[in-house]
Amino acid sequence: EDEEEKELRQRFRFMAPPVSGLRELRRRRRELRSRMELLIMETQAEVCRALAELDPGASFAVDSWERKEGGGGISCVLQDGEVFEKAGVNVSVVSGLLSEEAARQMRSRGKSLKAKDGKLPFCAMGVSSVIHPKNPHVPTMHFNYRYFEIEEADGTKQWWFGGGTDLTPTYLNEEDAVHFHKTLKEACDKHDLKLYPKYKKWCDDYFYIKHRGERRGIGGIFFDDMDSPSKEEVFQFVKSCAKAVVPCYIPIVKKHCHDSFTPEEKLWQQLRRGRYVEFNLVYDRGTKFGLLTPGSRIESILMSLPLTARWEYMHTPPESSKEAEILEVLRNPKDWVH
């Protein structure tokens, strides 16, 4: 790499060289695709550094992979630390042709896609992360921000952004819930006051485990297929959301990572993680899309699953216990910021 490239990499302190190569990203730096790739790389590095600071004994395994159909990614995973049982932050930048199955899934979301000889060239990129802490008083957190572009038969390009950040506590702490939601609301409010209430509700509706009648966690924000008012405005909004990840979550980890906990509390965390797995494998669109994309990397897709979890037959917590309290909020989402 030349001097300019080296200087760039040092400035950004990425976890690994970007999939498209820094020189290529510099050359196309005015294009939104390049700016988005730089943003997801920056976000990955920011989050990994913040997590590593809290868990100094552990380190991230950094794994760059290539997809023979086009593109690749960088998976950063920290396992078996003092603070984090498993924390993964993934970047993927892939391109190629959509499989029929993946295209069908998108059409079912109301996308009218005109394929040329059954082929749809696409480009997708995103950063996604799931953090499973050891201590049951530290919540699990997930975020994902992504960009999608499809070229139709007549050459027109359809594009959209999607993403969100949400929190899954084992035990409810109102103060943490308020801090988390407030930080996300501030990021949304910079762009439009209507966004937070809309995306908060979308998040509550999306992370719903239908067969259990409960939400996966206490929500946050979630949006998909966002393609207006303009490419630039949506990109700036996504950037604000990505920049809010560290401030909305890291203070909560700092506050609770040394809390004492009982074996019973650890058991409840394992059961709640079982629910997390159920949602991800049964309902999550990102997981489903990944599993349907030819050449996708299964290890990176299933990185969201915890290291350990439990499924007990007919487990019900005692009434008016701390365990029952969180279930109440998962069944009836609350407004945390008003």
Side-chain angles (χ1 to χ4, degrees):
E1 60 184 357
D2 60 20
E3 281 311 304
E4 184 194 22
E5 197 149 314
K6 208 179 196 153
E7 184 240 337
L8 253 181
R9 200 156 57 98
Q10 280 163 351
R11 196 176 93 211
F12 288 123
R13 288 164 51 215
F14 293 150
M15 300 301 283
V19 174
S20 303
L22 269 173
R23 187 172 292 166
E24 183 59 13
L25 289 176
R26 285 296 281 171
R27 204 172 60 77
R28 297 204 324 255
R29 65 178 171 271
R30 286 193 179 79
E31 285 179 33
L32 194 111
R33 270 166 70 164
S34 300
R35 291 163 67 205
M36 182 65 179
E37 188 170 344
L38 285 169
L39 173 66
I40 61 182
M41 291 296 297
E42 263 173 68
T43 305
Q44 180 184 49
E46 252 167 51
V47 174
C48 288
R49 279 201 299 273
L51 296 173
E53 225 170 88
L54 294 179
D55 208 338
S59 61
F60 276 95
V62 179
D63 202 358
S64 295
W65 49 274
E66 272 178 37
R67 176 174 172 269
K68 66 175 195 305
E69 294 80 355
I74 301 143
S75 296
C76 298
V77 182
L78 184 157
Q79 247 171 203
D80 257 337
E82 287 293 301
V83 176
F84 303 108
E85 193 169 296
K86 188 171 172 201
V89 192
N90 261 348
V91 154
S92 66
V93 179
V94 299
S95 53
L97 298 169
L98 270 195
S99 71
E100 251 319 298
E101 186 54 45
R104 229 195 334 274
Q105 216 190 318
M106 293 196 161
R107 288 195 182 99
S108 74
R109 278 166 37 196
K111 296 250 163 247
S112 58
L113 304 170
K114 296 180 284 295
K116 189 179 185 175
D117 316 321
K119 292 185 174 57
L120 272 170
F122 82 100
C123 141
M125 60 179 70
V127 57
S128 67
S129 171
V130 176
I131 297 155
H132 293 289
K134 275 207 163 137
N135 193 314
H137 299 293
V138 182
T140 283
M141 195 266 288
H142 155 260
F143 76 88
N144 166 287
Y145 290 99
R146 58 194 179 277
Y147 173 69
F148 218 95
E149 208 174 79
I150 286 182
E151 195 172 327
E152 295 189 86
D154 58 4
T156 55
K157 278 185 180 160
Q158 279 209 44
W159 59 269
W160 63 90
F161 288 87
T165 304
D166 61 281
L167 197 70
T168 306
T170 302
Y171 288 97
L172 184 64
N173 179 306
E174 297 248 347
E175 211 177 84
D176 297 346
V178 170
H179 165 80
F180 185 79
H181 276 270
K182 263 200 167 138
T183 311
L184 293 176
K185 182 181 184 295
E186 279 162 21
C188 294
D189 286 354
K190 276 189 221 160
H191 301 269
D192 184 338
L193 296 177
K194 291 197 282 290
L195 297 178
Y196 171 77
K198 181 180 170 187
Y199 296 156
K200 190 255 184 217
K201 183 184 180 323
W202 196 338
C203 187
D204 288 334
D205 294 344
Y206 178 75
F207 292 106
Y208 182 58
I209 308 172
K210 236 191 241 117
H211 60 267
R212 299 276 188 190
E214 61 190 47
R215 309 296 174 295
R216 185 179 78 178
I218 59 157
I221 55 171
F222 179 84
F223 57 92
D224 210 348
D225 302 333
M226 192 177 181
D227 56 8
S228 66
S230 71
K231 222 178 201 176
E232 185 57 38
E233 282 167 283
V234 184
F235 174 70
Q236 291 302 337
F237 166 67
V238 168
K239 190 173 181 172
S240 296
C241 294
K243 294 278 173 228
V245 170
V246 169
C248 76
Y249 181 60
I250 296 297
I252 298 175
V253 183
K254 276 191 176 140
K255 185 171 147 191
H256 297 290
C257 62
H258 300 300
D259 288 8
S260 61
F261 58 90
T262 65
E264 291 72 31
E265 288 171 330
K266 187 67 191 170
L267 173 67
W268 177 243
Q269 181 192 43
Q270 298 292 83
L271 292 166
R272 295 314 307 160
R273 285 197 185 149
R275 296 283 206 269
Y276 205 91
V277 173
E278 287 176 31
F279 178 84
N280 280 26
L281 295 182
V282 178
Y283 300 112
D284 190 73
R285 276 211 312 241
T287 306
K288 280 200 226 171
F289 179 80
L291 297 174
L292 296 172
T293 305
S296 62
R297 191 164 184 265
I298 300 305
E299 282 298 312
S300 297
I301 294 162
L302 298 182
M303 177 197 81
S304 64
L305 303 182
L307 210 50
T308 59
R310 259 179 98 101
W311 287 269
E312 269 183 29
Y313 184 65
M314 302 293 281
H315 183 281
T316 317
E319 266 182 62
S320 69
S321 62
K322 297 288 280 171
E323 290 76 13
E325 178 189 30
I326 184 85
L327 283 180
E328 172 54 32
V329 173
L330 300 179
R331 287 173 188 150
N332 303 295
K334 273 180 73 161
D335 174 358
W336 299 100
V337 294
H338 296 103

